[in-house]
Amino acid sequence: GQSLEQPSEVTAVEGAIVQINCTYQTSGFYGLSWYQQHDGGAPTFLSYNALDGLEETGRFSSFLSRSDSYGYLLLQELQMKDSASYFCAVRREGSARQLTFGSGTQLTVLP
Amino acid sequence: NAGVTQTPKFQVLKTGQSMTLQCAQDMNHEYMSWYRQDPGMGLRLIHYSVGAGITDQGEVPNGYNVSRSTTEDFPLRLLSAAPSQTSVYFCASFAAGQGRHEQYFGPGTRLTVT
């Protein structure tokens, strides 16, 4: 089957850098996605990595190592509005590009 | 564009009642999905569709039915509500083309079954 592991909680201060790790197990790999979800809100797409390396989008970057079945989301210059849950996800086996999500990491940004 | 819309936003049902959660998208996306999210957990796939007239089961399909008669609409039916179906339900859609990975989620329906 598939599984994704990520820390349940991370805390950091405003202006800092935080890294949220994700390890996955899946027989067929098509890429690692990251989603952000604020309390009471809908998940929103942040990034997608299909190949090894770092993808940068503004203050957010995402990294993938396929040989290690590992990725991370890097958030720089943290702001209070970054307090949210962050989910990694892989394509679900045999289901037309649907996703299997990790349990999520609750990021709290302190002033 | 309104994106993905869901109704109702909140619903309380008694055990055994049935209801339909509505989902619509105006982006002409081929793929649509239903997920449920329980407290402190990730999203789990209930059912999905790859186009009008084509649906399939996800990870937790029991107790739910879907149909897709048009590209725009993908309703989720609860056949006989149970307390275990208390959850937040999200509908999502995305395009099928190569290089397209972003799923767009609706605002969710918060369902309580008593």
Side-chain angles (χ1 to χ4, degrees), chain A:
Chain A
Q2 293 180 306
S3 66
L4 298 99
E5 295 279 339
Q6 44 180 138
S8 58
E9 295 178 346
V10 172
T11 301
V13 297
E14 217 173 356
I17 299 172
V18 72
Q19 178 174 312
I20 299 174
N21 298 321
C22 174
T23 57
Y24 58 86
Q25 284 188 317
T26 180
S27 57
F29 180 75
Y30 300 92
L32 185 70
S33 299
W34 289 93
Y35 284 78
Q36 178 192 59
Q37 185 181 32
H38 287 98
D39 273 351
T44 56
F45 175 81
L46 290 176
S47 68
Y48 172 81
N49 295 67
L51 302 176
D52 291 353
L54 192 68
E55 297 274 348
E56 298 182 59
T57 308
R59 293 188 298 113
F60 292 6
S61 303
S62 56
F63 172 82
L64 177 66
S65 169
R66 288 175 295 170
S67 60
D68 295 322
S69 298
Y70 162 75
Y72 65 73
L73 182 68
L74 191 74
L75 295 82
Q76 301 180 340
E77 300 171 18
L78 280 175
Q79 302 175 8
M80 300 294 289
K81 67 177 181 180
D82 297 329
S83 291
S85 291
Y86 293 84
F87 296 88
C88 57
V90 294
R91 192 187 297 186
R92 188 174 172 76
E93 291 162 355
S95 63
R97 299 174 60 192
Q98 302 299 318
L99 296 176
T100 296
F101 285 83
S103 296
T105 299
Q106 175 68 50
L107 170 64
T108 302
V109 180
L110 302 174

Side-chain angles (χ1 to χ4, degrees), chain B residues 12-18 79-86 112-114:
Chain B
V12 179
L13 291 178
K14 294 188 188 309
T15 297
Q17 287 185 317
S18 62
L79 309 173
S80 176
S84 60
Q85 294 179 304
T86 293
T112 301
V113 182
T114 60

Side-chain angles (χ1 to χ4, degrees), chain B residues 24-73:
Chain B
Q25 53 95 6
D26 61 0
M27 297 173 282
N28 203 32
H29 286 166
E30 298 89 342
Y31 291 75
M32 296 186 75
S33 319
W34 276 102
Y35 294 88
R36 62 175 287 173
Q37 185 176 34
D38 299 307
M41 295 182 66
L43 295 95
R44 290 185 293 168
L45 184 67
I46 304 172
H47 285 286
Y48 65 96
S49 170
V50 300
I54 307 169
T55 64
D56 207 344
Q57 296 181 350
E59 180 185 357
V60 288
N62 292 343
Y64 308 95
N65 271 357
V66 291
S67 60
R68 183 117 178 254
S69 56
T70 67
T71 299
E72 295 77 20
D73 300 300

